[in-house]
Amino acid sequence: MKYLVYLDPASLIGKAYSADHDGGPEEPLPVLNCSALDDKGPFLLATRDLSSRKKSHQTLLIPYGAVAFVLVYSEKKKLPPRFALHHE
Protein backbone atom coordinates (compact mmCIF):
# COMPACT_ATOMS: atom_id res chain seq x y z
CA MET A 1 0.00 0.00 0.00
CA LYS A 2 0.97 3.60 -0.54
CA TYR A 3 -0.47 6.76 0.96
CA LEU A 4 -1.15 10.33 -0.08
CA VAL A 5 -1.05 12.41 3.10
CA TYR A 6 -2.88 15.70 2.53
CA LEU A 7 -1.72 18.42 4.90
CA ASP A 8 -3.55 21.38 6.41
CA PRO A 9 -2.17 24.36 4.44
CA ALA A 10 -2.32 26.54 7.58
CA SER A 11 0.02 24.22 9.53
CA LEU A 12 3.78 24.79 9.56
CA ILE A 13 4.51 21.55 7.72
CA GLY A 14 1.70 22.31 5.26
CA LYS A 15 3.24 25.70 4.50
CA ALA A 16 6.67 24.13 4.05
CA TYR A 17 5.46 21.55 1.54
CA SER A 18 3.03 23.81 -0.31
CA ALA A 19 5.77 26.28 -1.30
CA ASP A 20 7.13 24.12 -4.12
CA HIS A 21 4.76 21.15 -4.23
CA ASP A 22 7.58 18.93 -3.01
CA GLY A 23 5.30 16.08 -2.05
CA GLY A 24 3.44 15.19 -5.22
CA PRO A 25 0.43 16.30 -7.21
CA GLU A 26 -0.34 19.99 -7.50
CA GLU A 27 -3.52 20.14 -5.48
CA PRO A 28 -5.16 22.87 -3.41
CA LEU A 29 -3.79 21.10 -0.32
CA PRO A 30 -0.11 20.21 0.09
CA VAL A 31 0.38 16.46 -0.21
CA LEU A 32 3.10 13.92 0.55
CA ASN A 33 3.42 10.63 -1.32
CA CYS A 34 4.34 8.11 1.39
CA SER A 35 5.42 4.49 1.27
CA ALA A 36 4.63 3.77 4.94
CA LEU A 37 2.58 5.24 7.79
CA ASP A 38 2.53 4.49 11.51
CA ASP A 39 -0.26 6.06 13.56
CA LYS A 40 0.42 4.35 16.88
CA GLY A 41 2.30 7.22 18.55
CA PRO A 42 1.65 10.85 19.44
CA PHE A 43 2.59 11.86 15.86
CA LEU A 44 1.91 10.35 12.45
CA LEU A 45 5.17 8.69 11.39
CA ALA A 46 5.27 9.08 7.60
CA THR A 47 8.01 7.62 5.39
CA ARG A 48 8.43 8.69 1.79
CA ASP A 49 10.89 7.50 -0.83
CA LEU A 50 13.12 10.26 -2.14
CA SER A 51 14.35 8.43 -5.22
CA SER A 52 13.17 5.38 -7.11
CA ARG A 53 16.77 4.46 -8.03
CA LYS A 54 18.31 4.61 -4.57
CA LYS A 55 17.12 3.27 -1.28
CA SER A 56 16.95 6.76 0.21
CA HIS A 57 13.92 7.82 2.18
CA GLN A 58 12.73 10.54 4.51
CA THR A 59 10.80 9.91 7.71
CA LEU A 60 8.63 12.70 9.09
CA LEU A 61 6.89 13.09 12.44
CA ILE A 62 3.69 14.93 11.53
CA PRO A 63 1.33 16.30 14.22
CA TYR A 64 -2.15 14.83 13.72
CA GLY A 65 -3.60 18.35 13.66
CA ALA A 66 -1.58 19.07 10.50
CA VAL A 67 -3.15 16.16 8.56
CA ALA A 68 -6.30 16.98 6.57
CA PHE A 69 -6.86 13.40 5.34
CA VAL A 70 -5.06 10.34 3.96
CA LEU A 71 -5.77 8.59 0.66
CA VAL A 72 -4.66 4.93 0.54
CA TYR A 73 -3.88 3.32 -2.80
CA SER A 74 -2.39 0.10 -4.08
CA GLU A 75 1.08 -0.06 -5.61
CA LYS A 76 -0.24 -2.52 -8.19
CA LYS A 77 -2.92 -0.19 -9.53
CA LYS A 78 -2.18 3.11 -11.18
CA LEU A 79 -3.60 6.29 -9.72
CA PRO A 80 -6.26 8.14 -11.69
CA PRO A 81 -4.75 10.76 -14.09
CA ARG A 82 -5.66 13.62 -11.75
CA PHE A 83 -3.37 12.06 -9.12
CA ALA A 84 -0.36 11.52 -11.36
CA LEU A 85 2.73 11.91 -9.19
CA HIS A 86 5.65 14.07 -10.23
CA HIS A 87 8.34 12.12 -8.40
CA GLU A 88 7.70 8.62 -9.73
Side-chain angles (χ1 to χ4, degrees):
M1 301 299 278
K2 286 202 162 196
Y3 310 89
L4 292 178
V5 178
Y6 285 82
L7 303 170
D8 177 356
S11 68
L12 290 175
I13 192 168
K15 289 177 184 177
Y17 282 98
S18 66
D20 61 0
H21 300 287
D22 184 49
E26 292 186 27
E27 292 285 325
L29 296 175
V31 60
L32 299 172
N33 181 29
C34 297
S35 56
L37 290 182
D38 183 353
D39 64 351
K40 293 180 177 71
F43 295 94
L44 179 65
L45 184 67
T47 302
R48 64 187 199 131
D49 299 328
L50 296 178
S51 172
S52 58
R53 295 182 204 152
K54 298 178 183 177
K55 295 290 181 183
S56 63
H57 63 274
Q58 177 184 48
T59 301
L60 302 166
L61 294 170
I62 304 172
Y64 288 110
V67 177
F69 63 94
V70 176
L71 176 79
V72 181
Y73 69 97
S74 171
E75 291 182 51
K76 296 177 184 177
K77 294 182 181 179
K78 291 188 175 183
L79 285 171
R82 184 166 187 252
F83 291 101
L85 298 173
H86 299 287
H87 298 292
E88 299 224 0

